Amino acid sequence: MKSKVVAVQEGLHDVAKLLREKGYNITTIDIANEPIDVIIYSNENNDYLAHNTTGVIDLVSYNQFTSMINLDEVGLDNIIATIEQLE
């Protein structure tokens, strides 16, 4: 379902671009002002430190139980299939 709101961790530009091209609504954790369906993150993404030096992610209450996908585990080639399996 491409109407899902996907929060992509800052610095994961390739993922954001791919998902945007496939029609997904892309946001970031830091600026999301609506319920998020899934969060894409990476433990190996050093670029995020430039945006979040505390290491704390503040989620509003309606996003606290959002599904999370670790890009390091599924890979870019499988990210869309993984999102679609969450249905």
Side-chain angles (χ1 to χ4, degrees):
M1 169 168 42
K2 294 189 179 163
S3 62
K4 286 187 179 183
V5 176
V6 181
V8 178
Q9 184 182 39
E10 290 288 345
L12 298 178
H13 306 294
D14 291 343
V15 175
K17 180 182 175 192
L18 174 67
L19 295 175
R20 202 172 281 116
E21 288 172 354
K22 297 293 183 181
Y24 287 93
N25 182 1
I26 305 302
T27 187
T28 66
I29 297 166
D30 303 317
I31 64 167
N33 57 6
E34 58 188 311
I36 298 169
D37 295 303
V38 63
I39 297 170
I40 309 294
Y41 72 99
S42 168
N43 293 331
E44 298 177 10
N45 177 18
N46 295 328
D47 294 336
Y48 189 60
L49 294 176
H51 300 279
N52 183 344
T53 57
T54 66
V56 175
I57 298 174
D58 291 325
L59 293 175
V60 292
S61 61
Y62 53 78
N63 285 329
Q64 287 183 348
F65 300 104
T66 301
S67 297
M68 298 178 72
I69 299 173
N70 186 337
L71 181 65
D72 307 329
E73 293 176 4
V74 300
L76 186 60
D77 294 336
N78 298 315
I79 197 70
I80 291 173
T82 304
I83 292 170
E84 291 174 357
Q85 287 176 355
L86 293 175
E87 189 60 29

